[in-house]
Amino acid sequence: MSQHVRARSHPSRKPRKPRKPRKPRAIRRTRRVALAAVLGLATFTAGWVYVAQDPDSAAGPRTQAGADARPQAEDRAARDAQRAAARQDARRAAQQAAAAQGLTGVSERTRARIPAESRQLILVTGRALDSSESTAAFYTRPAAGADWVRTESWPARNGANGWSTERTYGDLTSPMGVFALTDAGGLLPKPPGTRLPYDENSGFVPSGLGVNGESLAGSFDYVVAIDFNRRPGRSPLDPVMPDGEDKGGNIWLHVDHDGPSQGCVGIPKAAMERVLETLDPAAKPVIVMGPEGF
């Protein structure tokens, strides 16, 4: 036998494949770090989504405090709304009470000063405390305590400087308040049907000019004395001033002269005739005068 025997392959072994060359260690480490970062970000995102979707997990201490404060704020808002509604109801009730009596624009205190037995009333309402422009309205009621009913109204003028509760001579204001109407007079004969005591007298002639330089001619054709600092039951020309001359006197309701007065109230001549025809001493007539809301 020859010494050179041909080699055979083992029947159970497969030929080995050539190995791929291994990548450097630094590259392998970089891949592991990147993979870990991706896994961490995915975990954080899943947790954030869970928290956002879970209402109970969002109620931390600060959110819970806000939830507790919300009912308190709502309670305060409800109380404020109730108070505002109560104030509005009170104002509405006062307006309704005034409307029931027919004397709008007059305070409860002023209405309380109107004598219960009075059944005729002239209401002079000024535009403002310092205004000389106003409105005069005639009211009647069938009996004491009944509602007032307005029958007529006219434009009017009062003192050049408006109104005052402490009027003094020469201050060009009209006195505010409730005053009786007891006596009348004038340069002209009394209109038919006049029932107030009437003094037809040539002394009812004004002198000089009005506050704005206008003529006063005809202003005292008809007058009704306003019982401010005077003696009732006498001619409007009576010079006596019981409360002193410093307060001034001769405050009358008379014919308007197209300008403000020194303290009197002026209305159109036709209105003065109507007033004289209507006023009845038995009805205890009064005049209520001042700025709106007095």
Side-chain angles (χ1 to χ4, degrees):
M1 181 176 292
S2 172
Q3 296 180 351
H4 299 281
V5 181
R6 181 177 295 179
R8 296 181 182 179
S9 299
H10 196 280
S12 62
R13 289 182 180 179
K14 294 181 181 181
R16 292 184 179 181
K17 294 181 181 181
R19 292 183 178 180
K20 294 181 181 181
R22 301 186 65 181
K23 294 183 179 181
R25 184 177 299 174
I27 295 176
R28 294 198 303 273
R29 185 181 299 112
T30 301
R31 286 186 174 180
R32 286 196 297 270
V33 170
L35 179 60
V38 171
L39 293 175
L41 178 60
T43 303
F44 171 79
T45 303
W48 180 85
V49 171
Y50 174 77
V51 170
Q53 292 178 348
D54 186 0
D56 295 334
S57 64
R62 182 177 301 177
T63 305
Q64 187 63 40
D68 294 339
R70 193 177 304 116
Q72 297 178 5
E74 292 175 354
D75 290 343
R76 285 195 299 270
R79 288 195 298 269
D80 292 342
Q82 290 175 354
R83 293 191 189 101
R87 288 193 295 268
Q88 185 174 2
D89 290 343
R91 287 193 297 269
R92 187 180 297 111
Q95 293 171 354
Q96 290 173 350
Q101 287 193 325
L103 300 179
T104 57
V106 178
S107 69
E108 183 66 33
R109 181 177 60 181
T110 298
R111 286 197 297 271
R113 295 178 58 189
I114 300 172
E117 64 272 17
S118 294
R119 293 181 287 109
Q120 289 183 330
L121 180 149
I122 297 176
L123 175 62
V124 181
T125 307
R127 289 191 178 181
L129 182 64
D130 59 353
S131 174
S132 63
E133 297 183 0
S134 51
T135 299
F138 199 96
Y139 289 81
T140 64
R141 59 181 177 182
D147 295 342
W148 290 102
V149 177
R150 186 171 73 174
T151 60
E152 298 178 79
S153 65
W154 316 278
R157 301 179 199 267
N158 49 273
N161 290 334
W163 302 91
S164 175
T165 56
E166 300 294 335
R167 183 183 188 274
T168 58
Y169 176 75
D171 68 2
L172 301 182
T173 65
S174 294
M176 296 167 51
V178 180
F179 308 100
L181 301 174
T182 57
D183 304 284
L187 184 65
L188 301 180
K190 65 183 179 182
T194 298
R195 282 168 284 182
L196 287 181
Y198 188 91
D199 180 23
E200 181 184 346
N201 196 307
S202 60
F204 288 102
V205 176
S207 60
L209 299 175
V211 175
N212 291 338
E214 73 276 11
S215 172
L216 300 178
S219 299
F220 303 156
D221 285 352
Y222 302 114
V223 309
V224 175
I226 296 172
D227 285 356
F228 169 82
N229 197 18
R230 71 176 300 269
R231 298 182 298 176
R234 293 169 172 80
S235 168
L237 293 172
D238 179 36
V240 177
M241 301 178 189
D243 297 329
E245 295 184 0
D246 289 343
K247 295 186 67 173
N250 295 331
I251 303 298
W252 299 339
L253 181 68
H254 62 63
V255 178
D256 178 39
H257 49 78
D258 295 327
S261 71
Q262 295 188 21
C264 298
V265 175
I267 59 176
K269 187 173 183 176
M272 278 300 306
E273 293 175 339
R274 179 65 176 151
V275 165
L276 287 170
E277 293 168 355
T278 307
L279 289 179
D280 182 1
K284 305 295 182 183
V286 296
I287 186 168
V288 181
M289 45 196 271
E292 185 174 4
F294 77 104

